[in-house]
C-alpha cells in the first residue's frame, strides 16, 4: 500500500470529519434559533437566560463558537453538561464502558452467525438447509430490533427468568454485568446477522460460479477445498462493504436498544439529554457517533486494500 | 417474453405474488383506515382499559381503553405515509443526481458521489435527533430524516446502473443519431435503470417502515395522540408482564408489512433481472 | 495407443439434450482439433471429460481415459485425476486465475495437491514451471492483475502441464488474445505437447487455428461430430455439407466492384491526436498516453478502407475521434472540403449526417426496451428536419428491405432477433441519413462464420448500390483481403503502413505488418 495512497485517504477522512462537525453545528446550533432559550424553555427568567448565554458563549460570532467547539472535541473537551453539571467527556467515558462492549459483542455475534450460515447455505444451494436458512433470514430482516428485544425480555426475563430484563449493575458486579448485556447484544445482532447471512450467501454463490473456481476444480481440488481456498476470501469483499454500511445501523440500533433495556450507555445518555433539552450533551454525543461511523468506514476502506491486492498497487 | 404462460411471473416467482398479496393487504387496510376504523383510535375510555379481545374490541384495548385494532389500522396508514413520502423524497433528489453525475462524468461526478458517501454516515435516527429542534418532533421530522438517508441510496443505485448503461453501444448509436446527452438520459438511460429503481424502492420502503417505527418508539416521530406502531410498542413496554398482547399486535404488523415488501422486492428483482431473463430467452 | 475414447456420449442440461451421442478418439501424443460454432456442444464435451458438468446436467455413455471409464469413477478419484493426468486450459485468461493469490501460489497448489510437496518446495517447482512457459522475467510474487492476457494464459498453461498430464484439453485457449499473442501461445502449446508426449484436445471455433495445429480435425454441430479426418486429408475429403459450408464461409470472399469514379477524397483527417489520461482521483495523470498520434487519412467516395491493428493500438479510439464522439487533442477533420470542429454542435450534426457507424456487438447496439423500428428511426428529427409518423414508418420499412429484413421486424424487440438479424438492423440504422461513410467496427467478429459470410455479402452489395465508403476496423487479415481496397496498419497510436490491400498483404514493408501476417493462421486453399 503506497504511502501517497494512505495520505490521500487520511486527508479524505479529515475532510469528512470536518464536514460532519460543521453539519452537526449548523443543524443544532445555528438554525433552530437560541439554544439557551431551547434549553430553559420560553418562560425562563431573563437573567438566567442571559447567564446561560454567557456561559455557553452565545454572545460570540457563530464561526468562533464553531471553532471553539470543534477544537475542543479534538482536545477531548466536549463541553459541560447543564443537567449533570459535569464535563460531557466524563459522562461519555463512563457510558462508553457499556456501549463499546455491547457494540463489540453485537458485531462478533453477527459475524459468528452470518459467515458460517451464509457459507453453509451457499455450499448446499437449493437443499433443505439452504431454503431453511433463506426463510429464517427473510424473517430476521423483517423484525425490528427493539421489538425483538421486547420479545426476548418477555420470554427470557419475564416468563423464564433466566436473564435480567434490563438495567446494568456495573462492571464491578462481575459476571452479572456480562449477563445484562446478553439479551441486548442478541437483539442488536439478529437483524444484522440476517442481512449479512444473505449477503454472504449470494456473494459466495457468485464467486462459486467464477472461472477461477472452475480452474481450481480442474487442478484437482474438491468442491469444498475450492470453496475454502478460492471462493471464500473473494466472497468476503462484498461482505466487508455491507459490514461497513451496517455499522451505522448498529449505532442507531444501540441508541434504541439501550433504551429498551435501560442500559446506561451513550444511547441512553443522548436520549435522556434530548428530553432534558441538554443540547451540549446531545450535540457532542451525536458528533461522536457520526464520527465513529466515518472512522469505521475509513477502516473498512483500508481493510479492502489488505484483502484485495488489486487495490494495493505496487509502490 | 414477459407475456405468455411460461413466463407468467406468478408461476415462476412465488415470492413475487406472495409479497404483492401481503403488501396489498396492508395498503388496503391503511386506505380503509383513512376513512373508517372500527372505533376512534384516539378515543380514551378509562373504564374499558386493558380489556382482552371481545366482539366489541377484536384485539382488546390498551391502558387508556383505546381500541387496539383501530390503532393498528391507523398506524398502518401513518407508517406507510411516512415511508412513502420519505422514499419519494429520496428518489426525487437521488435519481436526478445520480443520473446527472453518470452522464456528465469528470470532477462533478466524483464530487456528487463523495457527498453521497458522506451522507451515508448519518443514520435516520441521528438525523432525526439533530432535526428535532428545527422541525419539532413529528411525522415531518421522521419523513425528512428517513428521506435524507435515502438520497444517497438512490443516487448510488442510479449512478452505478447509468454508468453501465452508458457504455453500451446503443447509447453511442443514439449520440450518432444527433441526440443530446439530456435526451439520451431520458430516452435510454432512465428507462433501463427504472426496473432497478423499482426494486430498490420496495426495499427502501421496508427499511423506511422499520426506521419510522424506531423513531416513533423513541418519541422522535409521530406524536401522541396520533397512533403509530412504534408509539404503541413504547406504551406496551411497561405492561409487558401483564398485557404482552399489546406488544405483539404492532410488532407483528411491522413484521408482516416489512416481510411483504421484502418478498415483493426479491420477486421483482428475480423477475426483472436481465441475467435471468437472458437465460429464459 | 488410444488414450481417450468418447463412446456415444449423451448429455442433457435441464432435461434438454445438448450432446446427441458424441464419438471421439484421441491417441497418445496426438493433437486433435474439435471445431464448431457457439452452442455446438464443444465446451460441454470438455467439461464432461473432466466430470465438471454443472449440477443441472446428466450424462450417458462412456468416457474411457487411460483404460478406465470416467463416468463410473468416484469424485475422490476424479480429483486425483484432474490436474495430474488431465490438464485443462480455459478461454478467458483474465478471469481464470484467483485475483487474491499470487500466480506462483496458484501453480504451487497443483504440486502440493498431486505430488505431496511442502509449500516451499512447491514454490520452487512453480518457479521452474513459470520459466518453462516463458515467464522467466516475471517475479513469482506477482498477482494476476499485474500480468497481461498472454502472460496469464501462460500461467494457466503452466498449471495444466505442471504434473505432466497425459492429456491436455484446451478450450478456445487463444480466442481472447491478439493475433501475435495467439501465435506465441499456440507455438508454446505445440512445443510442450510434442516435448512431453502429452495428447492435446484443442477446442476452437476457428478452423484456421485448428488446421495449423492439429493432426486430426473433428467438426461438431448441434451436439454431434459431423466430420472427422486427418488434417492432411481433411480439406480435400470433406463429405459433410455442414463442414464444407463452414470451410467455405471461412474463406468466403464477397463479390466486390471497386468504385474508381471519384478520385478525390471527401473525408480527410489531418494530424489527429488523441491523448489518454489514466483516470485518477482528483487529478490527471501527469504523463498522458498518445492513444492516437498524429494520424492522417483520406477516404474517397465508394472506397473500402481497412484499419488493422491489435487491441490497444488505438484503432477504436481513432474511430471515435473521427466520428466526433470524443474530442481531438490536435488535428483537423475536413468533410467535402469544409473543415469541421466537432466540439461545435452544428458541425457535429453535419458530421453525423455523413458519417455513421456499425458496432461489433449486435447484442449491445440496440436498446432492449425499444423496438427495432424506433431505434432505426432515431436520427429522424435530430439529424433531419421534422418527419411525419407515416413517413417515418415508410422509411424504416424501406431500409429494412434494403438489408433483406421484412417490414414486421420494425415492431420487434432486440431479444426477439438473432445476432445476424440485429446486425442487419444495425446496418439499416446506419443508412438512415444516407451517409457517405460508414465506420464498421469489427462488424462480423461476434457472429458465427456462416452468418458472417452473408453479412459481408450484404455490405458489398450495399456499397456497389449506394457508393458509400467503408472504414473497416478489424484484426482479421483474411477479412481485410476479402473486403477492402486499401489498408492502414496501426500500431501504438500511429499508422505504420498504408497501401493497397493486396500489395500490403503480399509485400509488407513494415516489421509490424510482417509480424501480424506471420502470426495470422490461414486456411489451405483447395
Amino acid at each position: 500500500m503506497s504511502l501517497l495512497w494512505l495520505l490521500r485517504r487520511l486527508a479524505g477522512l479529515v475532510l469528512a470529519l470536518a464536514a460532519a462537525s460543521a453539519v452537526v453545528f449548523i443543524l443544532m446550533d445555528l438554525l433552530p434559533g437560541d439554544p439557551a432559550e431551547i434549553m430553559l424553555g420560553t418562560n425562563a427568567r431573563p437573567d438566567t437566560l442571559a447567564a446561560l448565554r454567557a456561559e455557553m458563549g452565545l454572545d460570540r460570532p457563530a464561526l468562533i463558537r464553531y471553532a471553539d467547539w470543534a477544537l475542543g472535541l479534538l482536545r477531548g473537551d466536549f463541553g459541560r453538561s447543564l443537567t449533570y453539571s459535569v464535563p460531557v467527556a466524563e459522562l461519555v467515558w463512563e457510558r462508553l464502558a457499556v456501549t463499546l462492549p455491547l457494540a463489540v459483542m453485537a458485531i462478533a455475534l453477527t459475524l459468528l452467525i452470518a459467515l458460517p450460515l451464509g457459507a453453509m447455505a451457499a455450499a448446499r444451494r437449493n437443499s433443505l438447509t439452504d431454503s431453511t436458512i433463506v426463510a429464517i433470514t427473510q424473517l430476521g430482516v423483517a423484525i425490528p430490533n427493539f421489538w425483538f428485544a421486547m420479545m426476548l425480555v418477555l420470554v427470557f426475563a419475564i416468563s423464564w427468568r433466566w436473564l435480567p430484563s434490563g438495567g446494568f449493575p456495573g462492571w464491578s458486579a462481575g459476571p452479572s454485568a456480562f449477563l445484562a448485556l446478553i439479551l441486548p447484544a442478541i437483539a442488536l445482532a439478529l437483524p444484522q446477522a440476517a442481512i449479512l447471512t444473505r449477503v454472504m450467501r449470494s456473494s459466495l454463490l457468485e464467486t462459486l460460479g467464477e472461472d477461477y473456481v472452475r480452474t481450481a476444480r480442474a487442478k484437482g481440488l474438491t468442491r469444498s477445498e475450492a470453496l475454502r481456498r478460492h471462493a471464500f476470501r473473494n466472497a468476503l469483499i462484498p461482505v466487508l462493504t455491507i459490514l461497513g454500511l451496517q455499522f451505522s445501523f448498529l449505532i442507531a440500533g444501540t441508541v434504541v436498544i439501550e433504551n429498551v433495556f435501560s442500559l446506561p450507555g451513550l444511547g441512553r445518555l443522548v436520549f435522556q439529554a434530548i428530553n432534558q433539552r441538554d443540547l451540549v450533551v446531545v450535540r457532542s454525543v451525536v458528533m461522536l457517533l457520526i464520527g465513529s461511523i466515518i472512522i469505521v468506514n475509513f477502516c473498512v476502506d483500508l481493510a479492502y486494500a489488505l484483502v484485495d491486492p488489486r487495490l494495493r498497487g505496487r509502490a | 417474453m414477459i407475456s405468455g404462460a411460461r413466463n407468467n411471473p406468478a408461476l415462476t416467482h412465488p415470492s413475487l405474488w406472495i409479497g404483492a398479496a401481503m403488501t396489498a393487504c396492508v395498503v388496503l387496510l391503511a386506505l380503509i383506515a383513512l376513512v373508517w376504523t372500527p372505533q376512534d383510535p384516539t378515543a380514551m375510555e378509562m373504564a374499558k382499559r386493558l380489556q382482552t379481545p371481545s366482539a366489541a374490541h377484536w384485539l382488546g384495548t390498551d391502558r387508556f381503553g383505546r381500541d387496539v385494532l383501530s390503532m393498528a389500522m391507523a398506524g398502518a396508514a401513518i407508517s406507510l405515509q411516512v415511508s412513502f413520502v420519505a422514499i419519494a423524497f429520496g428518489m426525487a433528489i437521488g435519481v436526478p443526481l445520480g443520473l446527472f453525475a453518470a452522464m456528465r462524468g469528470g470532477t462533478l461526478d466524483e464530487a456528487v458521489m463523495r457527498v453521497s458517501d458522506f451522507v451515508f454516515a448519518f443514520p435516520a435516527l441521528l438525523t432525526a435527533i439533530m432535526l428535532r429542534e428545527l422541525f419539532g418532533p413529528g411525522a415531518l421530522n421522521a419523513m425528512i430524516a428517513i428521506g435524507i438517508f435515502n438520497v444517497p441510496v438512490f443516487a448510488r443505485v442510479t449512478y452505478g446502473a447509468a454508468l453501465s448503461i452508458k457504455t453500451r453501444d446503443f447509447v453511442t448509436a443514439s449520440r450518432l443519431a444527433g441526440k443530446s446527452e439530456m435526451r439520451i438520459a431520458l430516452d435510454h438511460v432512465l428507462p433501463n435503470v427504472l426496473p432497478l429503481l423499482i426494486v430498490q424502492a420496495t426495499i427502501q420502503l421496508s427499511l423506511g417502515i422499520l426506521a419510522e417505527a424506531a423513531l416513533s418508539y423513541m418519541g422522535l416521530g409521530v406524536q401522541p395522540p396520533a397512533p403509530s406502531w412504534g408509539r404503541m410498542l413504547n406504551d406496551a413496554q411497561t405492561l409487558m408482564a401483564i398485557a404482552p398482547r399489546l406488544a405483539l399486535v404492532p410488532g407483528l404488523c411491522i413484521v408482516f408489512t416489512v416481510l411483504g415488501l421484502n418478498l415483493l422486492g426479491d420477486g421483482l428483482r428475480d423477475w426483472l433481472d436481465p441475467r435471468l431473463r437472458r437465460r429464459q430467452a | 495407443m488410444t488414450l481417450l475414447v468418447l463412446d456415444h456420449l449423451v448429455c442433457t442440461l435441464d432435461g434438454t439434450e445438448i450432446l446427441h451421442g458424441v464419438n471421439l478418439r484421441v491417441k497418445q501424443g496426438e493433437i486433435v482439433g474439435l471445431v464448431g460454432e457457439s452452442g455446438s456442444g464443444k465446451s460441454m464435451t470438455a467439461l464432461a471429460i473432466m466430470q465438471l458438468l454443472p449440477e443441472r446436467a446428466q450424462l450417458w455413455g462412456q468416457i474411457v481415459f487411460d483404460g478406465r471409464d470416467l463416468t463410473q469413477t468416484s469424485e475422490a478419484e476424479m480429483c486425483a485425476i484432474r490436474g495430474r493426468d488431465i490438464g485443462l486450459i480455459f478461454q478467458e485468461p483474465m478471469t481464470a486465475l484467483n485475483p487474491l493469490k499470487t500466480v506462483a501460489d496458484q501453480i504451487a497448489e497443483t504440486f502440493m495437491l498431486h505430488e505431496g510437496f511442502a509449500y516451499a518446495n512447491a514454490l520452487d517447482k512453480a518457479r521452474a514451471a513459470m520459466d518453462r512457459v516463458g515467464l522467466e522475467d516475471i517475479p513469482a510474487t506477482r498477482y494476476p492483475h499485474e500480468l497481461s492476457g498472454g502472460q496469464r494464459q501462460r500461467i494457466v498453461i503452466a498449471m495444466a502441464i505442471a504434473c505432466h498430464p497425459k492429456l491436455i484439453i484446451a478450450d478456445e485457449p487463444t480466442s481472447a488474445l491478439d493475433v501475435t499473442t495467439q501465435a506465441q501461445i499456440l507455438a508454446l502449446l505445440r512445443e510442450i505437447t510434442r516435448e512431453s508426449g502429452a495428447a492435446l484436445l484443442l477446442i476452437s471455433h476457428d478452423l484456421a487455428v485448428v488446421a495449423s495445429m492439429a493432426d486430426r480435425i473433428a467438426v461438431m454441430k448441434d451436439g454431434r461430430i459431423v466430420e472427422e479426418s486427418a488434417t492432411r486429408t481433411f480439406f480435400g475429403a470433406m463429405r459433410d455439407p455442414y463442414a464444407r459450408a463452414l470451410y467455405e464461409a471461412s474463406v468466403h470472399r464477397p463479390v466486390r466492384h471497386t468504385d474508381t469514379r471519384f478520385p478525390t477524397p471527401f473525408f480527410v483527417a489531418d494530424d489527429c491526436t488523441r491523448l489518454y489520461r489514466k483516470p485518477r482521483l482528483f487529478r490527471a495523470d501527469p504523463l498522458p498516453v498518445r492513444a492516437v498520434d498524429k494520424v492522417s487519412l483520406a477516404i474517397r467516395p465508394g472506397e473500402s478502407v481497412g484499419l488493422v491493428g491489435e487491441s490497444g493500438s488505438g484503432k477504436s479510439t481513432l474511430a471515435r475521434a473521427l466520428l466526433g464522439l470524443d474530442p481531438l487533442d490536435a488535428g483537423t477533420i475536413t468533410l467535402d472540403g469544409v473543415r469541421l470542429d466537432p466540439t461545435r454542435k452544428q458541425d457535429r450534426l453535419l458530421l453525423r449526417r455523413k458519417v455513421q457507424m456499425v458496432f461489433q456487438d449486435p447484442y449491445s447496439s440496440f436498446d432492449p426496451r425499444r423496438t427495432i423500428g424506433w431505434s432505426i428511426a432515431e436520427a429522424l428529427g435530430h439529424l433531419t428536419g421534422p418527419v411525419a409518423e407515416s413517413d417515418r414508418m415508410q422509411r424504416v420499412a424501406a431500409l429494412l428491405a434494403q438489408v433483406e429484413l421484412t417490414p414486421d421486424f420494425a415492431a420487434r424487440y432486440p431479444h426477439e432477433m438473432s445476432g445476424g438479424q440485429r446486425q442487419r438492423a444495425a446496418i439499416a440504422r446506419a443508412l438512415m441519413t444516407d451517409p457517405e461513410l460508414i465506420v464498421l467496427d469489427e462488424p462480423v467478429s461476434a457472429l458465427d462464420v456462416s452468418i458472417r459470410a452473408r453479412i459481408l455479402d450484404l455490405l458489398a452489395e450495399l456499397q456497389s448500390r449506394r457508393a458509400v465508403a467503408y472504414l473497416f476496423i478489424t484484426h482479421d487479415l483474411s477479412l481485410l483481403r476479402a473486403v477492402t481496397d486499401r489498408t492502414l496498419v496501426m500500431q501504438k497510436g500511429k499508422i505504420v503502413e498504408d497501401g493497397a490491400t493486396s500489395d500490403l498483404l503480399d509485400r509488407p514493408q513494415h516489421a509490424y505488418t510482417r509480424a501480424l501476417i506471420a502470426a495470422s493462421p490461414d486456411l489451405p486453399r483447395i
Side-chain angles (χ1 to χ4, degrees), chain B residues 194-255:
Chain B
L194 204 59
L196 228 82
L197 289 178
I198 294 171
V199 171
Q200 193 65 41
T202 327
I203 291 162
Q204 291 309 119
L205 265 179
S206 81
L207 289 175
I209 302 265
L210 285 174
E212 189 276 334
L215 289 180
S216 304
Y217 171 83
M218 294 290 287
L220 292 162
V222 179
Q223 291 298 302
S228 78
W229 293 337
R231 201 67 230 165
M232 286 167 80
L233 282 171
N234 191 324
D235 286 343
Q237 201 182 340
T238 48
L239 302 169
M240 283 284 283
I242 35 175
R245 166 181 50 88
L246 292 180
L248 275 177
V249 172
L252 289 177
C253 285
I254 298 172
V255 173

Side-chain angles (χ1 to χ4, degrees), chain A residues 11 47-48 56 69 93 115 126 154 171 186 209 245 280 312:
Chain A
D47 53 328
T48 27
M56 292 177 72
W69 173 66
W93 195 244
L115 298 189
N126 293 335
L154 188 64
W171 285 109
I186 293 176
L245 284 178
V280 182
R312 247 172 266 164

Side-chain angles (χ1 to χ4, degrees), chain A residues 19 25 32 41 59 96 105 116-118 147 168 184 248 255 291:
Chain A
F25 183 80
D59 38 1
L96 263 181
M105 276 168 77
L117 271 190
W147 181 67
F168 187 72
S248 87
V255 174

